[in-house]
Amino acid sequence: MAARAEDLRDPSAAGSAGSGRGGAEGSGGSAWLGAPRAPGVFGEDGEFGERAALAADAGDAVCRREEFLLPPAPASCGYPEVAYFAGNSLGLQPRAVRAALSAELDDWALHAVEGHHRAAHPWLPYHAELREDAAALVGAAPEETVVMNSLTVNLHLMMATFYRPAGERTRIVIEDHAFSSDSYAVRSQAVHHGLDPDETVVRLRPRPGEDCLRTEDIVDYLAREGHRVALVLLGGVNYLTGEFLDIPAVTAAGHAAGCVVGWDLAHAAGNVPLALHDWDVDFAAWCSYKYLNAGPGAVAGCFVHRRHVTDPELPRLAGWWSTEQATRFEMRPELVPVPTADAWQISNPPILAMAPVRVSLRMFAETGMAALRERSLALTGYLERLLAEVARDRPLEIVTPADPARRGAQLSLRVIGGTDAAAADAAAVAARLHETHGVLADVRRPDVIRLAPVPMYSTFHDCWRAAAALAEEVNPV
């Protein structure tokens, strides 16, 4: 069981000197105490001391940090590894990936074309081997799930089916802080249908002075204007603020207004528990290179609700892999669609790109999202308390919702200042965190530093390092 947040107030309660998976010994642990470096503003003892963080890691049996490769920290910072908080951009490499890729290369060398049937993981049905674990990850039935393509390609394939503007029902609703790729995709879909994107795409904004959308405001808009909306396409967890939207409530409101409701789960898959089938979501798509740790540009995933996969009349773009496997090599001119999400596939799966996804999904299946979510709540809550202490007298502000149920494994921190200075300060602060302290985070302009304590491999000591480094690099006001 993950260390509880309250354990961190008493170092002796968070575990003994031994180490569980990802505990203090396995990740550098108590050896870091007394390393040739400054002790940090929080010191070694007390509620916010380094010993408490190390003790919490020692009692943690969920973290799988030793199964990942971490970049080395700059030699001057006194730590052997970085404290990695950029997993919401690119997850770390699982150690098992190299062997998985080598095995596929060996099968290619040994079997050549016959590897489609004779490889250890036969290539012809390779994507089906990922189906069960992918479905469990997002709360779907196996037939509703397929691993294919990349995220934005999958969104376009979904919109080719589900965005059917007609009459006054033409609008696409996204959030104002939608990731740029989503914004480009929906605008291009409007143009594809001969519509003006500036009139068609509705960008829902937070209330004045707030950073996050309120569920009641989304629901209210759909109640008032839903008759004009063809598609609702929001991010499950917002990339900028880390806000976890109320997917079932928004989906229900969209359906009540007669809209199709889809979700971009790039920052949600592998981050927060999902129940797409039970929440009655029409479709969803996600990438695999962030929290799912499957490598840069990794093959993505897609969900289509059962009521749609069994409807052969739905329009969809098609290719060789869209037809049933049993007759695929008969080379018929017309396809025979299958009653699963596979019907939205177009091309044969890229095996060398899918091998890391298979490794990653298996790790998630072994650990389980329930355990990861429990650990995530503890990690993020601990980091929040540390950052609140740092921000108490510094020009820093946490913009991620304070309610743990409304966020994933991310805290976004605004560097407060003038427009130009804020951008420079946020970037400069992030650079110093890495170069001086070995804390690797990222910046979203103009003024936000994002910190993602990923429950699969981040530690409480990582969180301590990040907060201590911020306290040293941002001067009190």
Side-chain angles (χ1 to χ4, degrees):
M1 179 176 293
R4 300 187 306 275
E6 58 266 28
D7 289 340
L8 295 169
R9 299 189 180 279
D10 179 4
S12 65
S16 62
S19 173
R21 291 197 308 180
E25 294 286 339
S27 56
S30 58
W32 285 344
L33 285 169
R37 55 187 171 78
V41 297
F42 290 131
E44 294 182 1
D45 298 307
E47 177 183 351
F48 299 123
E50 186 174 17
R51 292 184 189 276
L54 291 168
D57 288 326
D60 192 332
V62 176
C63 182
R64 300 178 68 155
R65 184 186 185 93
E66 79 284 357
E67 298 178 51
F68 290 85
L69 295 167
L70 281 96
S76 60
C77 79
Y79 293 103
E81 301 166 342
V82 298
Y84 192 72
F85 288 94
N88 53 357
S89 286
L90 179 66
L92 293 175
Q93 181 187 140
R95 293 180 182 272
V97 162
R98 187 177 296 274
L101 285 172
S102 293
E104 300 300 345
L105 291 172
D106 290 344
D107 279 338
W108 183 13
L110 180 63
H111 301 297
V113 70
E114 292 184 325
H116 285 88
H117 302 281
R118 294 188 177 183
H121 300 277
W123 303 334
L124 184 64
Y126 198 98
H127 69 280
E129 194 171 334
L130 284 61
R131 190 190 316 278
E132 296 278 348
D133 289 346
L137 185 75
V138 298
E143 66 268 21
E144 297 173 315
T145 312
V146 61
V147 174
M148 63 181 189
N149 306 316
S150 59
L151 170 58
T152 309
V153 170
N154 286 341
L155 289 176
H156 276 298
L157 290 174
M158 293 297 101
M159 285 189 280
T161 293
F162 294 107
Y163 178 53
R164 315 299 296 178
E168 69 172 351
R169 192 181 286 276
T170 60
R171 294 178 182 173
I172 306 174
V173 173
I174 63 173
E175 68 270 39
D176 192 41
H177 288 314
F179 193 73
S180 297
S181 189
D182 288 15
S183 181
Y184 305 157
V186 297
R187 288 178 63 84
S188 70
Q189 284 285 332
V191 172
H192 180 71
H193 286 275
L195 301 170
D196 182 345
D198 291 332
E199 295 181 0
T200 302
V201 178
V202 176
R203 306 180 71 93
L204 296 183
R205 293 178 173 84
R207 296 181 183 185
E210 297 184 0
D211 292 288
C212 299
L213 278 173
R214 296 193 185 193
T215 298
E216 59 265 34
D217 291 345
I218 303 172
V219 171
D220 178 66
Y221 175 83
L222 293 173
R224 289 184 291 105
E225 298 291 333
H227 62 287
R228 303 179 188 275
V229 176
L231 173 64
V232 179
L233 182 57
L234 300 172
V237 173
N238 185 265
Y239 87 98
L240 180 64
T241 66
E243 178 188 17
F244 181 15
L245 289 179
D246 190 336
I247 296 176
V250 172
T251 301
H255 287 166
C259 315
V260 172
V261 184
W263 292 89
D264 177 345
L265 303 177
H267 286 262
N271 178 9
V272 293
L274 299 167
L276 299 184
H277 177 86
D278 291 345
W279 293 342
D280 206 30
V281 169
D282 290 300
F283 70 86
W286 59 93
C287 59
S288 299
Y289 51 81
K290 300 180 188 296
Y291 292 97
L292 296 186
N293 312 308
V299 181
C302 202
F303 163 88
V304 183
H305 198 279
R306 183 183 288 143
R307 67 178 176 277
H308 300 309
V309 301
T310 56
D311 182 357
E313 301 303 316
L314 278 178
R316 57 175 72 91
L317 300 179
W320 194 25
W321 238 250
S322 309
T323 196
E324 64 178 6
Q325 182 177 321
T327 60
R328 184 172 295 145
F329 285 88
E330 293 180 9
M331 306 302 185
R332 298 177 179 178
E334 288 136 6
L335 66 81
V336 180
V338 292
T340 72
D342 285 8
W344 276 265
Q345 288 188 112
I346 291 181
S347 302
N348 51 320
I351 303 305
L352 296 180
M354 277 189 159
V357 182
R358 178 173 57 82
V359 169
S360 172
L361 289 175
R362 187 89 297 263
M363 294 178 75
F364 276 87
E366 291 166 358
T367 303
M369 278 306 303
L372 287 169
R373 178 59 169 170
E374 180 184 359
R375 186 169 191 274
S376 178
L377 292 171
L379 271 176
T380 308
Y382 173 58
L383 179 60
E384 180 185 40
R385 292 197 302 278
L386 290 172
L387 293 180
E389 179 67 16
V390 174
R392 188 168 51 83
D393 58 354
R394 289 172 175 81
L396 300 169
E397 174 190 16
I398 299 174
V399 299
T400 306
D403 180 359
R406 291 186 59 213
R407 67 189 184 203
Q410 177 179 321
L411 293 175
S412 294
L413 199 63
R414 173 171 291 126
V415 180
I416 302 169
T419 303
D420 293 336
D425 287 349
V429 169
R432 293 198 302 273
L433 292 180
H434 184 206
E435 295 164 4
T436 306
H437 305 274
V439 174
L440 187 53
D442 71 358
V443 174
R444 286 296 178 263
R445 295 184 183 279
D447 55 5
V448 171
I449 296 174
R450 302 187 307 166
L451 296 166
V454 177
M456 187 70 86
Y457 51 73
S458 296
T459 65
F460 291 94
H461 189 252
D462 287 338
C463 295
W464 183 90
R465 284 175 60 184
L470 275 164
E472 290 188 25
E473 293 301 334
V474 180
N475 293 324
V477 292

